Amino acid sequence: MIEAQDLRPAPAARLKAAAWRFGRALLDVALPPQCLACSKPVSDQGGLCVACWSDFKPIERPFCERLGTPFPADFGAGLVSPKALARPPAWDRARAVARFDGAARTLVHRLKYGDGLHLARAMGGMMARAGHELLGPDVLLVPTPLHRGRLWRRRFNQSALLARAAAEASGARLALQALERVKATRPQVGLTAAQRADNLAGAFRVSEEGRALIAGRRVVLVDDVLTTGATLDRLARLARRAGAASVDALVFAVVVNDG
C-alpha cells in the first residue's frame, strides 16, 4: 500500500509566506499600488492602468530574429527583416519588450530623466520575460556603460539598473564593469545613423576584468532603447573581439519605423 504524502508546506515555510502576505498588505495600505506610467491607482504593484496599457505596444512574434522588430504579418518562423539583411548587426539576436512609443516611451523617460529609479525592477522583469530565450545562468549580462562625467551628473546608469533587475529575474550573471566608456560623447538624440557611428568612434573599450569574464561566454548587452543600433553594434564588436561565444541584445523598447 502506498502511503499518501503530506504536501502541505512546512511550518517555517507557512510562517514565511504569511509574513510576506502581511508585509505586502501593510505596504499596499501605506503605499497604494500606482500605475508605473501615470501614477494613477491600480489593483497590483508594478502594473499599468487600463488607459496606459491600451497605449502600451508590446512586441510579440512574428518579429525579425536579428533586430527584434515586429512584422506586420506572420510570414513564417525564423525570418529576418530586409533591414537586417541589408545591414546585418554585429549581434546575433535582439529582443525588446515594446515599441518605443506611448506608455513605453513614458516609462523610459520617467526612468532616465525623471529619477524614476523605482521603475527599474518592473521594467527589468519585463525585459527578462521578453528575452527569456537569450537568458540563463550561463549568460553574462553587460549594460551599456556611461562616461564617468555623465554618470556623475545623472547619478545612475539606467542600463545598469535594468540589467541588475533582469539578472535577478533570470539568474543570469551581471557584469557591470565589463565594458567602459572612455570618451565623453555628445547625446545621440537627433543624430543620423552615420552621425551616431562617428560620435561613438573610440568611445568604448573592454576592461581588464571584462576580458576575463567575456572570453568564451554568452554575452547579452543591455540598454533601455534600441534606436539605430549604433551603440549596441559597437559594443557587440568589442565583445566579439574579447572572445565572446555569442552576443545578443536585450532592450526595453525599440524604435520601429513602419514605413
Side-chain angles (χ1 to χ4, degrees):
M1 179 178 180
I2 300 176
E3 296 182 357
Q5 291 181 311
D6 186 357
L7 299 180
R8 294 175 298 174
R14 293 199 298 270
L15 182 61
K16 183 177 180 180
W20 183 89
R21 289 193 296 270
F22 180 71
R24 179 63 179 269
L26 286 179
L27 180 63
D28 287 346
V29 171
L31 297 171
Q34 295 180 329
C35 172
L36 294 174
C38 71
S39 299
K40 290 181 180 178
V42 293
S43 58
D44 297 312
Q45 295 281 1
L48 296 172
C49 68
V50 173
C52 288
W53 178 250
S54 66
D55 196 35
F56 190 78
K57 301 176 179 64
I59 292 179
E60 299 174 342
R61 280 193 163 87
F63 53 68
C64 171
E65 290 296 320
R66 296 296 300 274
L67 300 178
T69 49
F71 287 132
D74 192 349
F75 302 111
L79 291 184
V80 176
S81 65
K83 181 178 179 180
L85 290 172
R87 297 188 62 181
W91 63 81
D92 299 309
R93 298 170 293 175
R95 297 292 181 265
V97 175
R99 293 171 178 248
F100 186 55
D101 192 13
R105 183 195 296 267
T106 299
L107 288 173
V108 170
H109 285 181
R110 287 193 69 188
L111 171 64
K112 194 170 183 177
Y113 306 117
D115 283 342
L117 278 67
H118 63 287
L119 301 174
R121 178 175 292 274
M123 294 170 67
M126 294 181 203
M127 292 168 66
R129 291 190 291 274
H132 66 92
E133 61 192 305
L134 310 182
L135 303 176
D138 61 327
V139 168
L140 197 67
L141 281 179
V142 180
T144 298
L146 283 182
H147 186 265
R148 60 181 179 274
R150 185 168 298 173
L151 181 60
W152 183 84
R153 292 190 297 273
R154 186 177 293 171
R155 297 177 289 106
F156 65 92
N157 179 353
Q158 74 279 355
S159 298
L161 295 177
L162 294 172
R164 185 183 297 280
E168 292 175 355
S170 67
R173 182 175 179 181
L174 183 63
L176 294 176
Q177 309 298 329
L179 297 173
E180 300 173 334
R181 188 184 290 253
V182 294
K183 187 181 83 172
T185 57
R186 58 185 290 201
Q188 297 276 79
V189 177
L191 300 183
T192 65
Q195 290 171 332
R196 286 171 181 254
D198 290 341
N199 190 42
L200 295 172
F204 303 103
R205 72 181 177 193
V206 181
S207 67
E208 289 301 318
E209 174 189 357
R211 292 186 185 282
L213 290 173
I214 289 173
R217 296 290 294 272
R218 293 173 55 207
V219 172
V220 174
L221 303 171
V222 179
D223 209 348
D224 54 349
V225 180
L226 173 57
T227 306
T228 66
T231 299
L232 289 175
D233 201 79
R234 190 62 55 94
L235 297 178
R237 294 179 190 280
L238 287 175
R240 290 196 186 280
R241 290 175 196 155
S246 65
V247 183
D248 295 314
L250 179 60
V251 300
F252 181 76
V254 61
V255 173
V256 178
N257 183 359
D258 291 320

